[in-house]
Amino acid sequence: MELITVNTKEEMARLAAEIIAKTVSEKPDAVLGLATGDTPVHTYSLLCEKCSEKLIDFSKIKTVNLDEYVGMGYNDKQSFKRFMFDNLFDKINIKHENIHIPDGKVADIALECENYDRLINSLGGIDLQLLGIGHDGHIGFNEPSTEFIYETHKVMLDPVTVKANSRFFKNENEVPRFAITMGISPIMNAGKLLMLAGKDKKEILMQAIFDGVTPSVPASVITKHKNLTVIYCNE
Ligand code: F6R
């Protein structure tokens, strides 16, 4: 594991954008695993800038997102799909058919989960997976549990997550209670993992990377990955 500590969010985003850009230039048809949330927003804006300056080309890139709320789609402004279009996809030269996000609106969620794993396999897996970490130690929406769940699955959000994500909604009651999340397998099978965490995640991040692997802190599993970079920002 490479643990890089930086002082500012700007520096964290710049480094992360450089790592992603390097993957894209080395493998122009790479599969990028993407995350939503506050942490990667500036990284995405730097990637958009690089793309408008023609320093990075997303025309052959494929993406798979980690998660989506059950019941939400592009027309819901808090959906992860909408987040990704607003913060990245609408501003880069990616082909829409190469964008993949679990569909929270389908009637058969179990089938959507199975199809999502099949899709990731058919793409040949993920080359680089970008990750944030929840205050409860989640990655994607793999919430603390007694066992790791390896496949894409429907998950009931932990009360800690519901509270944390209520900042995007009018109030806590409006936060969906269920989500679809990529499981641990596609994440751990990715060629490279890049985790970003700010100061508010210090305690849980240190627990995840130094206190041993346990499903009660799902992010701890990434310490077993052979190509992991964690960028921690002291701001
Ligand atoms: C989002 C995701 C989550 C977030 C985590 C941190 O797609 O998978 O695991 O990365 O909840 O969110 P922020 O960055 O908002 O603190």
Side-chain angles (χ1 to χ4, degrees):
M1 171 180 62
E2 181 186 25
L3 173 59
I4 303 172
T5 303
V6 295
N7 288 322
T8 64
K9 288 182 180 164
E10 179 66 37
E11 231 179 314
M12 175 166 76
R14 194 177 46 74
L15 262 179
E18 275 167 18
I19 292 169
I20 296 168
K22 186 166 177 278
T23 299
V24 172
S25 76
E26 285 172 1
K27 190 173 177 190
D29 60 349
V31 178
L32 300 179
L34 299 176
T36 60
D38 283 335
T39 314
V41 168
H42 193 42
T43 302
Y44 292 153
S45 72
L46 294 178
L47 290 173
C48 296
E49 272 176 39
K50 282 182 195 287
C51 189
S52 70
E53 290 162 14
K54 306 231 177 311
L55 298 172
I56 184 169
D57 177 15
F58 288 95
S59 61
K60 294 190 189 117
I61 289 296
K62 293 154 213 149
T63 64
V64 284
N65 261 79
L66 283 166
D67 39 19
E68 179 59 281
Y69 291 119
V70 168
M72 286 203 166
Y74 181 81
N75 290 332
D76 303 290
K77 71 179 194 323
Q78 297 95 345
S79 72
F80 290 168
K81 185 166 190 178
R82 181 70 160 269
F83 171 99
M84 289 308 303
F85 277 83
D86 289 352
N87 288 285
L88 185 67
F89 299 147
D90 278 341
K91 302 171 189 166
I92 60 173
N93 65 333
I94 190 163
K95 293 198 175 88
H96 281 203
E97 65 264 31
N98 287 338
I99 293 170
H100 307 287
I101 302 177
D103 187 347
K105 298 285 267 187
V106 292
D108 192 339
I109 296 288
L111 181 63
E112 175 66 9
C113 293
E114 276 175 39
N115 287 341
Y116 204 64
D117 281 332
R118 238 175 263 140
L119 167 88
I120 295 170
N121 288 335
S122 75
L123 295 174
I126 298 165
D127 291 290
L128 181 148
Q129 177 66 54
L130 182 62
L131 295 168
I133 180 171
H135 288 280
D136 61 357
H138 69 220
I139 45 171
F141 273 142
N142 290 275
E143 296 285 29
S145 175
T146 50
E147 55 185 16
F148 290 114
I149 303 178
Y150 292 94
E151 299 82 28
T152 297
H153 56 282
K154 179 180 170 182
V155 60
M156 186 170 164
L157 299 179
D158 193 279
V160 173
T161 303
V162 172
K163 197 171 168 39
N165 288 10
S166 65
R167 68 195 192 278
F168 300 113
F169 294 82
K170 274 200 208 109
N171 55 57
E172 220 172 291
N173 288 336
E174 286 197 2
V175 184
R177 272 13 185 203
F178 292 92
I180 297 173
T181 183
M182 204 188 274
I184 297 298
S185 286
I187 297 174
M188 289 303 284
N189 290 335
K192 178 168 184 61
L193 298 182
L194 174 59
M195 170 168 277
L196 309 182
K199 198 177 182 180
D200 59 320
K201 307 284 176 50
K202 185 173 185 177
E203 206 176 313
I204 191 70
L205 178 71
M206 294 305 137
Q207 207 180 319
I209 61 184
F210 294 121
D211 289 358
V213 177
T214 166
S216 63
V217 181
S220 61
V221 74
I222 69 171
T223 58
K224 294 269 176 217
H225 197 279
K226 293 208 165 51
N227 189 354
L228 165 66
T229 298
V230 178
I231 307 179
Y232 170 70
C233 158
N234 241 324
E235 182 181 334

